[in-house]
Amino acid sequence: MKHRTWMAIARAQAGVISRAQLIGAGLTDRQVDGLVRSGAVCSLGFGLWRVAGAPASRQTSLWRAVLATRGVLVASSAVYLWHCEADLRAPIEVAVRRSAHNRIPTGVRVHRWLGDRAALTTRYGLPVTPLPQSVIDYLASLPWPAAMAFADRAFNQGWIDPEQIERRLQTSRPGNGVLRRILATHRAGAEAESERRLHRLLHRSGLTGWVANYRVAVRGRIVARVDVGFPLLRLAIEVDGLAYHSDRDRFQRDRTRQNELMLLGWTVLRFTWFDLIERPDQVIDTIADQLQRMVS
């Protein structure tokens, strides 16, 4: 019965178990030492073992970090668990209380700011910060413009909202400068900055025949304004800003406008802030390919 109990604990923790958990499951120190001598478990250091035959995986490393530090997964490790980002090269990040004096395993980054554990949650059994906090902590750790590219996804997916960033900014934490810049760009000029970035890409590419903020008119009535228009070919380029999908009224207006443009014979290509930041060459290639097809 004892054997099944400790094995169940280990299975739930990607094969990892601590000496304290083994003792808590009812094994004596002598029995634990016997498991080690027999090769039933192999040492991971820090009073932790992995069950023989259990595969080494990212989950194994996460459990080792959590059990060794008694911490909570945050930032890059937390967004990995929430399936928002998956940079497996990044160190495992945990937060502990400021007063904690734990040994830190190699490949683990410890933040000493952990607050109220009642506000935490679990993901696949692992202690982790809630989704909005995880995303905001990760944003705060990123350089600019990678932070803006990820913020674009985060706002559009509904993972965070501006009010949650404001609440985070009420605390003194590293990365607040990046968060303030994201918030300011989101509220005042994200759309304009995305358009300016598109204009710079078009200038550098050498593509011609386009007009910024082009107004499409029918019998003297302006039916639409597009971010970039190629009037002779009736090609419109639109860029979605950071808060695009969080603004339902704007989303509906843009869809109505896009339908009107298409009924007038226009082709519409849409790009996001993330496209402009992370895939600028692909943006230009897509536009150039479309232009080539339209003149062929």
Side-chain angles (χ1 to χ4, degrees):
M1 183 66 173
K2 292 176 181 177
H3 179 76
R4 289 197 297 273
T5 300
W6 77 260
M7 282 293 289
I9 295 171
R11 279 196 299 270
Q13 299 178 170
V16 182
I17 193 165
S18 68
R19 188 180 191 93
Q21 288 176 324
L22 288 167
I23 298 299
L27 275 68
T28 64
D29 286 329
R30 185 173 180 178
Q31 288 173 319
V32 173
D33 292 340
L35 290 176
V36 177
R37 286 195 302 271
S38 69
V41 294
C42 53
S43 177
L44 295 176
F46 304 91
L48 303 175
W49 286 273
R50 186 174 81 241
V51 176
S57 65
R58 186 65 171 179
Q59 298 297 105
T60 304
S61 300
L62 293 173
W63 275 108
R64 176 174 178 262
V66 164
L67 292 173
T69 63
R70 299 183 181 87
V72 173
L73 295 166
V74 297
S76 62
S77 299
V79 295
Y80 165 79
L81 283 179
W82 288 108
H83 301 304
C84 302
E85 196 82 323
D87 184 0
L88 301 184
R89 299 166 300 176
I92 293 172
E93 298 191 75
V94 299
V96 300
R97 296 192 181 280
R98 293 184 185 276
S99 58
H101 298 288
N102 301 29
R103 292 182 299 163
I104 304 172
T106 302
V108 176
R109 179 183 298 159
V110 170
H111 305 271
R112 298 186 181 278
W113 49 255
L114 186 62
D116 184 9
R117 281 185 176 267
L120 304 175
T121 186
T122 58
R123 186 80 167 159
Y124 307 112
L126 287 156
V128 65
T129 46
L131 174 59
Q133 182 180 341
S134 302
V135 170
I136 293 171
D137 288 339
Y138 181 57
L139 281 172
S141 73
L142 293 174
W144 193 274
M148 279 297 291
F150 189 73
D152 177 41
R153 292 175 53 203
F155 283 122
N156 286 343
Q157 293 292 330
W159 298 335
I160 58 171
D161 59 44
E163 288 69 29
Q164 290 165 330
I165 295 181
E166 280 189 336
R167 287 195 292 272
R168 157 63 189 269
L169 288 172
Q170 293 171 6
T171 65
S172 179
R173 294 264 299 280
N176 278 1
V178 171
L179 295 177
R180 288 191 189 94
R181 191 173 175 185
I182 289 171
L183 195 59
T185 304
H186 174 273
R187 288 183 164 168
E191 181 179 6
E193 176 55 29
S194 62
E195 290 176 17
R196 287 193 293 269
R197 184 171 290 272
L198 175 59
H199 300 165
R200 290 194 293 270
L201 289 176
L202 289 168
H203 279 301
R204 287 200 297 267
S205 73
L207 293 176
T208 60
W210 58 274
V211 179
N213 300 313
Y214 182 74
R215 287 170 171 77
V216 180
V218 176
R219 292 187 290 276
R221 181 178 68 90
I222 296 175
V223 297
R225 182 193 69 81
V226 298
D227 296 335
V228 167
F230 290 81
L232 294 180
L233 298 174
R234 294 192 176 185
L235 173 63
I237 313 298
E238 297 278 63
V239 180
D240 298 335
L242 284 179
Y244 181 72
H245 290 293
S246 63
D247 185 340
R248 292 185 180 180
D249 289 339
R250 180 185 168 189
F251 184 86
Q252 183 59 55
R253 287 195 304 271
D254 281 359
R255 286 301 177 272
T256 300
R257 180 185 60 176
Q258 182 167 323
N259 289 340
E260 290 177 348
L261 286 168
M262 295 179 71
L263 288 172
L264 292 171
W266 283 71
T267 299
V268 180
L269 295 179
R270 305 197 76 95
F271 299 102
T272 66
W273 177 277
F274 183 80
D275 291 325
L276 298 179
I277 295 293
E278 295 294 318
R279 298 188 285 261
D281 292 340
Q282 184 176 327
V283 169
I284 294 300
D285 288 345
T286 300
I287 295 172
D289 288 346
Q290 182 61 39
L291 289 170
Q292 184 61 41
R293 284 195 291 268
M294 297 176 86
V295 298
S296 298

